[in-house]
Amino acid sequence: MTYLLMQIICCYLATLGFGIIVNIPHRALNACGWVGVLGWLTFLGLRTINAGTILSNLLAALMIGLSSMVMAQKLKMPMILFNIPSLVPLVPGGQAYNAVRSFAFGHDLQGIDYLVQVLMIAGSIAMGFFIAELVARAYFKTVLK
Amino acid sequence: MQRYDLIIETVLLAGKIMIENGADMARVDDTLKRIARNSGIEQPKIFETTTGILMSIPEKRSSQVEPIQKRTIDLEKVSLVNQNSRAYQAGKITLKELHDNLIKLNISTPFFSFWLQLLAAVVVSCTLLLMYGGKWQDLLATAIASGLGYSCYYFINNHLRIRFVSEFLGSFLIGLTAVLAVRYSWGYEVNMITIGGVMPLVPGVPITNAVRDIFAGHLLSGSARALEAFLSACAIAMGIAFVFRFM
């Protein structure tokens, strides 16, 4: 329970912090933090039930895409304001770091292994956003017309 | 004649501000077309890339170009342009007022102060360190590494204006601090300290925009942005690799 609470607080603060770095409007900061928390919780939950890295990243990105769409509608602001900071915890920093480390020490095969992981994760996040976009288009076509 | 000139000028200015500050192309396209349509132009022809905008009004047989040379990240300006175009659509402000508002917001939108940004960068690093399963004992080292790295990145970006060198030197400093901190037993894991410290430098805006642009059909802008993100990532990686190679 403490672990979960710590994860939520940390994720909220991390998303908020990145929001400040890219200077999003003050009004959007709070909503942005919650979108980030939602995405990260999806990721954590799926990882705990062993759904695999790719699927967890994909669904977390889908979650971020959908919830930032809802927030964008509600606050009448562009969607990227919520997308960008919430995405940051999902960035495969650890794998990228390991890839660089392996290449620097001359373990090329291991480096390529990590690099492929980085590309797969990046691709799955992109796919998640893509599906969110599709859902958004379908929603606007059917409901609002 | 006057009116058409003002329309083109306003549309190009709005586009310039949005692209300079990191909006995605689908949003830019939508906003510009909306401004033009609300000014009474049925079929505005607008072509935008990350490095320039072209606009013409078919019945006038003339077009204008707006080159875009600098690219920074300031999402508040994007949001403000969006707000102004909505107000214009709702008929709350006139075209002249829209034009004046755009000029005003382009020079005088407040940015969060450097110290707040530095604090934000430190918070991002420390919280991500904990989220990725780092040790509590590494918090201080991460905060110092991230603060130093981000200050260096910010200074080079804002005063010397050299892209990619800022990421390189920033991540180099972060790696150096991490290695030194562990050597003098202020921290435990070089890996976690470095990963946490580098996180504020991650090119989040180009990555997200690249994906969105490509899926929205703006292949030119999408691949340009993907390249930008890739170069930033490479610069960060080079900085870290330097530390490993020589320490």
Side-chain angles (χ1 to χ4, degrees), chain A residues 54-110:
Chain A
I54 303 296
L55 188 64
S56 343
N57 275 299
L58 192 148
L59 289 179
L62 175 62
M63 192 68 181
I64 288 174
L66 291 180
S67 46
S68 43
M69 205 174 72
V70 174
M71 290 294 180
Q73 283 272 304
K74 221 168 131 189
L75 296 176
K76 299 217 182 315
M77 284 176 167
M79 197 167 135
I80 49 161
L81 295 188
F82 307 99
N83 261 345
I84 293 167
S86 335
L87 176 80
V88 169
L90 296 180
V91 167
Q95 287 86 342
Y97 172 84
N98 281 327
V100 172
R101 194 188 156 89
S102 310
F103 281 124
F105 285 124
H107 307 304
D108 286 356
L109 280 179
Q110 208 187 355

Side-chain angles (χ1 to χ4, degrees), chain A residues 7 10-11 14 17-18 20-25 27 40 78-81 83-84 87 89 94 97 100-101 126 130, chain B residues 22 27 73-76 79 82-83 110-112 120 124 127 131-132 150 191 194-195 202 205 208 212 215 237 244:
Chain A
Q7 290 278 345
C10 281
C11 182
F18 205 83
I20 290 175
I21 292 177
V22 296
N23 197 28
I24 71 173
R27 250 174 355 111
W40 182 246
M79 197 167 135
I80 49 161
L81 295 188
N83 261 345
I84 293 167
L87 176 80
Y97 172 84
V100 172
R101 194 188 156 89
F130 179 54
Chain B
R27 164 68 56 181
I73 292 162
D74 184 348
L75 295 181
E76 179 148 22
S79 168
N82 190 43
Q83 255 174 34
F111 211 87
F112 288 110
V124 170
T127 49
M131 278 160 71
Y132 292 155
Y150 190 76
N191 302 357
T194 315
I195 294 171
V202 163
V205 178
T208 316
R212 287 180 64 95
F215 285 140
F244 285 139

Side-chain angles (χ1 to χ4, degrees), chain B residues 118-225:
Chain B
L118 185 64
L119 182 71
V122 171
V123 167
V124 170
S125 299
C126 291
T127 49
L128 283 173
L129 171 83
L130 294 177
M131 278 160 71
Y132 292 155
K135 287 196 177 70
W136 287 94
Q137 294 92 318
D138 284 341
L139 273 182
L140 183 67
T142 312
I144 294 172
S146 151
L148 278 177
Y150 190 76
S151 316
C152 173
Y153 170 75
Y154 184 90
F155 178 77
I156 295 181
N157 255 354
N158 281 280
H159 296 279
L160 305 178
R161 298 181 197 288
I162 317 172
R163 303 261 358 235
F164 308 123
V165 175
S166 52
E167 277 104 338
F168 172 75
L169 282 180
S171 69
F172 177 72
L173 258 182
I174 291 169
L176 198 65
T177 318
V179 169
L180 288 181
V182 171
R183 192 166 291 172
Y184 294 107
S185 55
W186 279 31
Y188 292 88
E189 292 169 292
V190 181
N191 302 357
M192 292 314 281
I193 298 174
T194 315
I195 294 171
V198 160
M199 272 311 190
L201 308 186
V202 163
V205 178
I207 293 176
T208 316
N209 279 336
V211 173
R212 287 180 64 95
D213 284 354
I214 288 175
F215 285 140
H218 294 268
L219 296 180
L220 213 54
S221 311
S223 40
R225 278 180 162 148

Side-chain angles (χ1 to χ4, degrees), chain B residues 14-32:
Chain B
K16 188 177 181 204
I17 296 174
M18 289 183 94
I19 296 173
E20 268 180 358
N21 292 296
D24 56 321
M25 285 301 156
R27 164 68 56 181
V28 176
D29 198 45
D30 184 55
T31 308
L32 299 194

Side-chain angles (χ1 to χ4, degrees), chain B residues 100-122:
Chain B
D100 293 347
N101 281 355
L102 287 178
I103 290 178
K104 215 183 294 164
L105 77 87
N106 196 22
I107 8 183
S108 66
T109 299
F111 211 87
F112 288 110
S113 72
F114 168 68
W115 295 107
L116 188 61
Q117 279 192 61
L118 185 64
L119 182 71
V122 171

